[in-house]
Amino acid sequence: MPRYKLTIEYDGAPFAGWQLQPDHPTVQGVLEAAVKATCGEDVRVHGAGRTDSGVHALGQVAHCDIAKPFTASRLRDALNAHLRPNPVAVLAVEIVPGDFEARFSAVRRHYLYRIANTRANLALDVGRIWRVPRRLDSDAMHAAAQRLLGKHDFTTFRDTECQARSPEKTLDQLDVIRDGTEIRILTSARSFLHSQVRSMVGSLVWVGEGRWSADDLYAALAARNRAACGPVAPPEGLYLVRVDY
């Protein structure tokens, strides 16, 4: 049976996250409905990352097995036709070996968090960026962020309902870059804990506001206590950018 790798873009605003939930629209749900409308089969679509409610994706990856054979381009176009009007697009389809796993074959995941550091209200980016009106020191945020790199116990930045077996993760990148009034936080790792990125971003905003120093951020990490975390950034600024294999 052919296995297909899907590269997907979506606006997370109308969805209760990636994973199937009863009585709530999810990205996985609309994709599986599109697959069934295309081939008549009940097929499970497995994602590389279970993005939360309201989180967006520029390059989510999924895989599925479909008994009926398709060329990659034909399957892509058919799925997109059945996905309308949902804000989900299959950007590319590849036929891959049967041992490919969207989640477990991944070697690195890349996320972007966008902050609009402006006092003006949002006009075009409502629901796609976090507006923080107070001036943020992005240089201080970047310097503090480097203290989180490497392998650590990230319990402080882990959601209390996280189901990961271990709180230890290795953070490869956490860069804070200002471009005019927009601050972009770029992070990458093999995998992340539930709410880890948003938790780190919220704490970095406290650094940018001058409430915390880099030492305070590191002390929060070292506490290994969820209560030591700063605020959790809202989901609308977070994007799953790319998954490497």
Side-chain angles (χ1 to χ4, degrees):
M1 183 181 299
R3 176 160 293 187
Y4 298 92
K5 174 187 174 186
L6 315 177
T7 303
I8 308 153
E9 178 180 271
Y10 52 84
D11 178 348
F15 299 108
W18 165 269
Q19 192 171 5
L20 284 171
Q21 296 184 41
D23 304 319
H24 293 286
T26 65
V27 181
Q28 187 181 28
V30 298
L31 279 165
E32 291 184 0
V35 172
K36 184 168 185 177
T38 297
C39 66
E41 303 172 36
D42 289 311
V43 171
R44 180 51 37 92
V45 177
H46 303 271
R50 297 174 181 177
T51 52
D52 289 337
S53 176
V55 174
H56 315 296
L58 304 176
Q60 169 74 283
V61 175
H63 80 266
C64 61
D65 299 330
I66 302 175
K68 183 178 179 180
F70 288 89
T71 63
S73 59
R74 183 181 170 214
L75 180 58
R76 178 201 61 209
D77 294 346
L79 291 176
N80 283 327
H82 291 295
L83 282 167
R84 300 186 189 105
N86 295 293
V88 180
V90 177
L91 304 178
V93 172
E94 301 172 53
I95 300 173
V96 291
D99 61 353
F100 173 84
E101 295 275 350
R103 181 181 177 189
F104 298 109
S105 299
V107 297
R108 187 167 287 106
R109 293 163 173 84
H110 303 265
Y111 282 89
L112 161 69
Y113 197 96
R114 300 175 61 208
I115 297 173
N117 195 202
T118 174
R119 294 193 64 82
N121 293 330
L122 299 175
L124 300 179
D125 272 333
V126 175
R128 293 179 175 84
I129 196 168
W130 181 22
R131 184 177 74 91
V132 178
R134 299 167 298 282
R135 176 73 181 182
L136 299 176
D137 185 339
S138 55
D139 291 336
M141 293 168 67
H142 177 77
Q146 306 319 294
R147 304 284 293 275
L148 301 182
L149 295 181
K151 185 176 181 179
H152 301 285
D153 180 327
F154 281 98
T155 295
T156 298
F157 303 105
R158 175 189 194 182
D159 189 276
T160 55
E161 297 183 2
C162 179
Q163 297 178 0
R165 294 181 180 178
S166 170
E168 289 191 352
K169 294 293 177 182
T170 300
L171 196 63
D172 299 318
Q173 177 192 21
L174 188 59
D175 292 333
V176 182
I177 302 168
R178 177 180 284 277
D179 182 6
T181 60
E182 182 170 329
I183 294 175
R184 300 187 183 106
I185 300 176
L186 306 171
T187 187
S188 63
R190 183 180 182 90
S191 61
F192 292 88
L193 299 166
H194 187 189
S195 296
Q196 181 181 346
V197 177
R198 291 167 53 205
S199 298
M200 294 189 301
V201 168
S203 294
L204 285 172
V205 164
W206 270 11
V207 173
E209 292 176 337
R211 299 190 193 190
W212 275 8
S213 66
D215 286 342
D216 291 328
L217 180 70
Y218 187 78
L221 171 71
R224 302 178 184 178
N225 184 343
R226 182 62 174 168
C229 187
V232 178
E236 59 263 27
L238 184 59
Y239 298 75
L240 173 55
V241 175
R242 189 175 79 250
V243 183
D244 295 339
Y245 293 92

